[in-house]
Amino acid sequence: MTTAESVILEVPDPAAAQSFYEAFGVGDRVHVRASQTPTTGFRGYTLSLVVSQPNIVDAFVGAALAGGATELKPVKKSFWGYGGVVQAPDGAIWKIATSSKKNTGPATREIDDLVLLLGVDDVKASKQFYVDHGLEVSKSYGRKYVQFTAPPTKLTVALYGRKALAKDAGVSPDGSGSHRIVITGDGEPFTDPDGFVWDTNPA
């Protein structure tokens, strides 16, 4: 079974980005490398931190904003839980959320799951591509959403329609150029139908 290990974000200033992510609290889960590859608008993906309670959401969002992130969707309660969306200084979009509406302990800054949501043109076709490349489906909702199996503490990869993902993030779906992200994992390197790159031993 093929699984994702982590993500590499391509950024113009690796030192500044690494400093931001360490202060944000995800420095051990995200890697950065220098790149000046052109990109405009929505890059076609979001990263989500799934946590256990609202005060942890507040802690992560507060740290991101203090480090220079931009608020895309303010933190608020909804029928599904509690969360908000920010954009890091390097341009990556982060959603921090919990299904819980009440705090039951201290704000530990502990991450339950790190999810990379890929915005794709055709969820069904991309799902089949990934299955053919050795990934195992753990959740599937027709042409709307697919999630792949991931070992504990590793990166969970999921597929969502590009327009729906942009709406969830609070941005326009328009964008072009590089995704500015590389997914690391086992198996053979490949590029998916939407241009997302998977690499075994990235430089």
Side-chain angles (χ1 to χ4, degrees):
M1 182 180 73
T2 301
T3 58
E5 295 288 330
S6 62
V7 293
I8 298 172
L9 300 179
E10 297 182 335
V11 300
D13 187 338
Q18 191 62 51
S19 178
F20 169 81
Y21 287 117
E22 287 175 359
F24 182 27
V26 298
D28 60 335
R29 307 290 291 270
V30 175
H31 307 287
V32 299
R33 70 181 181 192
S35 174
Q36 299 293 337
T37 307
T39 185
T40 59
F42 183 45
R43 297 179 186 174
Y45 73 88
T46 65
L47 287 154
S48 293
L49 299 181
V50 181
V51 300
S52 62
Q53 56 193 36
N55 60 357
I56 300 177
V57 172
D58 291 336
F60 276 110
V61 171
L65 296 177
T70 302
E71 183 179 75
L72 296 179
K73 280 190 173 182
V75 174
K76 66 177 183 179
K77 289 183 180 179
S78 68
F79 71 93
W80 52 261
Y82 184 82
V85 182
V86 299
Q87 187 168 30
D90 64 85
I93 294 174
W94 290 81
K95 181 176 183 178
I96 304 95
T98 178
S99 59
S100 174
K101 297 182 181 180
K102 294 183 178 180
N103 296 317
T104 57
T108 61
R109 300 280 293 279
E110 184 174 331
I111 301 168
D112 292 345
D113 201 5
L114 173 60
V115 182
L116 171 61
L117 271 165
L118 303 179
V120 301
D121 287 335
D122 187 329
V123 173
K124 183 178 179 181
S126 290
K127 171 188 173 182
Q128 188 59 54
F129 175 89
Y130 277 104
V131 169
D132 290 344
H133 281 75
L135 278 80
E136 182 180 280
V137 174
S138 61
K139 296 179 183 178
S140 181
Y141 301 98
R143 294 179 176 272
K144 293 185 177 182
Y145 178 85
V146 174
Q147 182 172 305
F148 299 104
T149 302
T153 76
K154 298 298 182 181
L155 177 69
T156 298
V157 176
L159 309 176
Y160 204 24
R162 181 185 173 96
K163 290 183 178 179
L165 181 59
K167 182 178 180 180
D168 185 60
V171 298
S172 166
D174 297 331
S176 61
S178 173
H179 291 300
R180 288 270 183 108
I181 192 170
V182 174
I183 305 157
T184 67
D186 51 14
E188 293 296 320
F190 63 84
T191 300
D192 81 0
D194 294 274
F196 290 101
V197 175
W198 288 59
D199 204 345
T200 307
N201 295 299

mmCIF file of all heavy atoms in Angstrom, residues 15-16 20-21 30 35 49 58 62 104 111 116 118 121 125 128 131 160 162 175 186 191 193 200:
data_model
loop_
_atom_site.group_PDB
_atom_site.id
_atom_site.type_symbol
_atom_site.label_atom_id
_atom_site.label_comp_id
_atom_site.label_asym_id
_atom_site.label_seq_id
_atom_site.Cartn_x
_atom_site.Cartn_y
_atom_site.Cartn_z
ATOM 1 N N ALA A 15 13.999 30.254 5.315
ATOM 2 C CA ALA A 15 14.282 30.564 6.720
ATOM 3 C C ALA A 15 13.075 31.217 7.383
ATOM 4 O O ALA A 15 12.693 30.860 8.510
ATOM 5 C CB ALA A 15 15.503 31.470 6.819
ATOM 6 N N ALA A 16 12.459 32.165 6.689
ATOM 7 C CA ALA A 16 11.284 32.840 7.236
ATOM 8 C C ALA A 16 10.111 31.873 7.372
ATOM 9 O O ALA A 16 9.383 31.890 8.371
ATOM 10 C CB ALA A 16 10.895 34.022 6.351
ATOM 11 N N PHE A 20 8.166 30.647 10.776
ATOM 12 C CA PHE A 20 6.708 30.761 10.935
ATOM 13 C C PHE A 20 6.108 29.432 11.369
ATOM 14 O O PHE A 20 5.300 29.372 12.306
ATOM 15 C CB PHE A 20 6.064 31.226 9.626
ATOM 16 C CG PHE A 20 4.554 31.118 9.638
ATOM 17 C CD1 PHE A 20 3.783 32.095 10.237
ATOM 18 C CD2 PHE A 20 3.928 30.013 9.078
ATOM 19 C CE1 PHE A 20 2.397 31.982 10.270
ATOM 20 C CE2 PHE A 20 2.542 29.891 9.106
ATOM 21 C CZ PHE A 20 1.772 30.883 9.705
ATOM 22 N N TYR A 21 6.483 28.338 10.679
ATOM 23 C CA TYR A 21 5.864 27.051 10.976
ATOM 24 C C TYR A 21 6.268 26.500 12.343
ATOM 25 O O TYR A 21 5.480 25.789 12.986
ATOM 26 C CB TYR A 21 6.149 26.054 9.848
ATOM 27 C CG TYR A 21 5.331 26.380 8.621
ATOM 28 C CD1 TYR A 21 5.920 26.728 7.421
ATOM 29 C CD2 TYR A 21 3.938 26.391 8.688
ATOM 30 C CE1 TYR A 21 5.153 27.069 6.316
ATOM 31 C CE2 TYR A 21 3.160 26.723 7.594
ATOM 32 C CZ TYR A 21 3.775 27.070 6.421
ATOM 33 O OH TYR A 21 3.006 27.418 5.340
ATOM 34 N N VAL A 30 5.870 19.720 8.665
ATOM 35 C CA VAL A 30 5.947 20.350 7.350
ATOM 36 C C VAL A 30 7.390 20.733 7.041
ATOM 37 O O VAL A 30 8.100 21.231 7.912
ATOM 38 C CB VAL A 30 5.055 21.610 7.306
ATOM 39 C CG1 VAL A 30 5.224 22.346 5.987
ATOM 40 C CG2 VAL A 30 3.591 21.242 7.509
ATOM 41 N N SER A 35 12.007 28.075 -3.677
ATOM 42 C CA SER A 35 11.501 28.031 -5.046
ATOM 43 C C SER A 35 10.959 29.402 -5.420
ATOM 44 O O SER A 35 10.309 30.062 -4.614
ATOM 45 C CB SER A 35 10.382 26.995 -5.181
ATOM 46 O OG SER A 35 9.816 27.056 -6.481
ATOM 47 N N LEU A 49 -5.512 21.119 10.000
ATOM 48 C CA LEU A 49 -5.174 20.566 11.303
ATOM 49 C C LEU A 49 -6.473 20.180 11.985
ATOM 50 O O LEU A 49 -7.334 21.031 12.232
ATOM 51 C CB LEU A 49 -4.434 21.598 12.155
ATOM 52 C CG LEU A 49 -3.108 22.136 11.636
ATOM 53 C CD1 LEU A 49 -2.522 23.129 12.644
ATOM 54 C CD2 LEU A 49 -2.127 21.003 11.361
ATOM 55 N N ASP A 58 -8.192 27.778 18.766
ATOM 56 C CA ASP A 58 -7.845 29.175 19.066
ATOM 57 C C ASP A 58 -6.334 29.359 19.227
ATOM 58 O O ASP A 58 -5.764 30.355 18.767
ATOM 59 C CB ASP A 58 -8.544 29.626 20.349
ATOM 60 C CG ASP A 58 -10.050 29.760 20.187
ATOM 61 O OD1 ASP A 58 -10.515 29.948 19.048
ATOM 62 O OD2 ASP A 58 -10.763 29.660 21.199
ATOM 63 N N GLY A 62 -4.320 31.671 16.724
ATOM 64 C CA GLY A 62 -3.660 32.813 17.346
ATOM 65 C C GLY A 62 -2.183 32.855 17.030
ATOM 66 O O GLY A 62 -1.621 33.918 16.723
ATOM 67 N N THR A 104 -12.681 20.393 27.032
ATOM 68 C CA THR A 104 -12.667 19.423 28.134
ATOM 69 C C THR A 104 -11.300 19.353 28.794
ATOM 70 O O THR A 104 -11.068 18.517 29.663
ATOM 71 C CB THR A 104 -13.058 18.026 27.615
ATOM 72 O OG1 THR A 104 -12.161 17.646 26.560
ATOM 73 C CG2 THR A 104 -14.487 18.026 27.082
ATOM 74 N N ILE A 111 -1.944 17.932 17.731
ATOM 75 C CA ILE A 111 -2.628 17.703 16.462
ATOM 76 C C ILE A 111 -3.116 16.263 16.389
ATOM 77 O O ILE A 111 -2.343 15.324 16.570
ATOM 78 C CB ILE A 111 -1.673 17.979 15.280
ATOM 79 C CG1 ILE A 111 -1.172 19.421 15.325
ATOM 80 C CG2 ILE A 111 -2.363 17.694 13.951
ATOM 81 C CD1 ILE A 111 -0.015 19.685 14.375
ATOM 82 N N LEU A 116 -4.063 16.771 3.998
ATOM 83 C CA LEU A 116 -3.815 17.518 2.778
ATOM 84 C C LEU A 116 -4.994 17.274 1.844
ATOM 85 O O LEU A 116 -5.216 16.157 1.386
ATOM 86 C CB LEU A 116 -2.514 17.052 2.113
ATOM 87 C CG LEU A 116 -2.237 17.608 0.718
ATOM 88 C CD1 LEU A 116 -2.118 19.137 0.732
ATOM 89 C CD2 LEU A 116 -0.993 16.968 0.124
ATOM 90 N N LEU A 118 -6.551 17.875 -1.688
ATOM 91 C CA LEU A 118 -6.195 18.238 -3.046
ATOM 92 C C LEU A 118 -7.456 18.597 -3.816
ATOM 93 O O LEU A 118 -8.396 17.790 -3.903
ATOM 94 C CB LEU A 118 -5.483 17.072 -3.736
ATOM 95 C CG LEU A 118 -4.224 16.534 -3.048
ATOM 96 C CD1 LEU A 118 -3.657 15.369 -3.852
ATOM 97 C CD2 LEU A 118 -3.182 17.631 -2.886
ATOM 98 N N ASP A 121 -10.130 18.291 -10.544
ATOM 99 C CA ASP A 121 -11.186 18.556 -11.524
ATOM 100 C C ASP A 121 -12.222 17.438 -11.557
ATOM 101 O O ASP A 121 -13.402 17.690 -11.786
ATOM 102 C CB ASP A 121 -10.574 18.733 -12.924
ATOM 103 C CG ASP A 121 -9.842 20.055 -13.059
ATOM 104 O OD1 ASP A 121 -10.176 21.003 -12.326
ATOM 105 O OD2 ASP A 121 -8.909 20.137 -13.894
ATOM 106 N N ALA A 125 -12.211 10.263 -11.270
ATOM 107 C CA ALA A 125 -11.055 9.890 -12.078
ATOM 108 C C ALA A 125 -9.771 9.930 -11.256
ATOM 109 O O ALA A 125 -8.914 9.047 -11.369
ATOM 110 C CB ALA A 125 -10.940 10.810 -13.291
ATOM 111 N N GLN A 128 -9.512 6.902 -8.969
ATOM 112 C CA GLN A 128 -9.056 5.702 -9.659
ATOM 113 C C GLN A 128 -7.558 5.755 -9.943
ATOM 114 O O GLN A 128 -6.848 4.757 -9.802
ATOM 115 C CB GLN A 128 -9.822 5.521 -10.975
ATOM 116 C CG GLN A 128 -9.537 4.189 -11.663
ATOM 117 C CD GLN A 128 -9.889 3.006 -10.787
ATOM 118 O OE1 GLN A 128 -11.009 2.897 -10.289
ATOM 119 N NE2 GLN A 128 -8.918 2.109 -10.563
ATOM 120 N N VAL A 131 -5.821 4.925 -6.665
ATOM 121 C CA VAL A 131 -5.964 3.497 -6.363
ATOM 122 C C VAL A 131 -5.015 2.685 -7.244
ATOM 123 O O VAL A 131 -4.357 1.742 -6.780
ATOM 124 C CB VAL A 131 -7.426 3.041 -6.570
ATOM 125 C CG1 VAL A 131 -7.533 1.520 -6.534
ATOM 126 C CG2 VAL A 131 -8.323 3.656 -5.501
ATOM 127 N N TYR A 160 -10.972 16.498 -3.151
ATOM 128 C CA TYR A 160 -12.192 17.301 -3.089
ATOM 129 C C TYR A 160 -12.270 18.073 -4.393
ATOM 130 O O TYR A 160 -11.235 18.392 -5.001
ATOM 131 C CB TYR A 160 -12.082 18.265 -1.906
ATOM 132 C CG TYR A 160 -13.374 18.783 -1.312
ATOM 133 C CD1 TYR A 160 -14.572 18.095 -1.435
ATOM 134 C CD2 TYR A 160 -13.385 19.977 -0.604
ATOM 135 C CE1 TYR A 160 -15.736 18.568 -0.867
ATOM 136 C CE2 TYR A 160 -14.542 20.470 -0.025
ATOM 137 C CZ TYR A 160 -15.715 19.762 -0.166
ATOM 138 O OH TYR A 160 -16.878 20.243 0.407
ATOM 139 N N ARG A 162 -12.186 21.060 -6.870
ATOM 140 C CA ARG A 162 -11.423 22.292 -6.728
ATOM 141 C C ARG A 162 -12.298 23.475 -6.320
ATOM 142 O O ARG A 162 -11.942 24.236 -5.416
ATOM 143 C CB ARG A 162 -10.696 22.608 -8.040
ATOM 144 C CG ARG A 162 -9.841 23.883 -7.975
ATOM 145 C CD ARG A 162 -9.226 24.225 -9.320
ATOM 146 N NE ARG A 162 -8.562 25.516 -9.279
ATOM 147 C CZ ARG A 162 -7.267 25.689 -9.064
ATOM 148 N NH1 ARG A 162 -6.486 24.646 -8.882
ATOM 149 N NH2 ARG A 162 -6.747 26.908 -9.046
ATOM 150 N N GLY A 175 -6.718 30.206 -10.388
ATOM 151 C CA GLY A 175 -5.292 30.159 -10.073
ATOM 152 C C GLY A 175 -4.539 29.459 -11.184
ATOM 153 O O GLY A 175 -5.116 28.682 -11.947
ATOM 154 N N ASP A 186 6.132 6.657 0.065
ATOM 155 C CA ASP A 186 6.776 5.464 -0.460
ATOM 156 C C ASP A 186 6.245 5.194 -1.865
ATOM 157 O O ASP A 186 5.411 5.918 -2.385
ATOM 158 C CB ASP A 186 6.549 4.271 0.474
ATOM 159 C CG ASP A 186 5.081 4.083 0.834
ATOM 160 O OD1 ASP A 186 4.215 4.685 0.163
ATOM 161 O OD2 ASP A 186 4.796 3.333 1.775
ATOM 162 N N THR A 191 3.232 12.032 -10.954
ATOM 163 C CA THR A 191 2.477 13.277 -10.953
ATOM 164 C C THR A 191 1.031 12.943 -11.281
ATOM 165 O O THR A 191 0.755 12.227 -12.255
ATOM 166 C CB THR A 191 3.031 14.267 -11.998
ATOM 167 O OG1 THR A 191 4.399 14.556 -11.681
ATOM 168 C CG2 THR A 191 2.240 15.559 -11.992
ATOM 169 N N PRO A 193 -3.210 13.560 -12.168
ATOM 170 C CA PRO A 193 -3.851 14.255 -13.290
ATOM 171 C C PRO A 193 -3.986 15.766 -13.114
ATOM 172 O O PRO A 193 -4.140 16.494 -14.101
ATOM 173 C CB PRO A 193 -5.232 13.589 -13.366
ATOM 174 C CG PRO A 193 -5.027 12.227 -12.785
ATOM 175 C CD PRO A 193 -4.037 12.433 -11.685
ATOM 176 N N THR A 200 9.672 10.196 -3.895
ATOM 177 C CA THR A 200 10.203 9.320 -2.855
ATOM 178 C C THR A 200 11.398 9.946 -2.156
ATOM 179 O O THR A 200 11.507 9.928 -0.929
ATOM 180 C CB THR A 200 10.618 7.965 -3.456
ATOM 181 O OG1 THR A 200 9.527 7.424 -4.192
ATOM 182 C CG2 THR A 200 11.014 6.990 -2.366
#
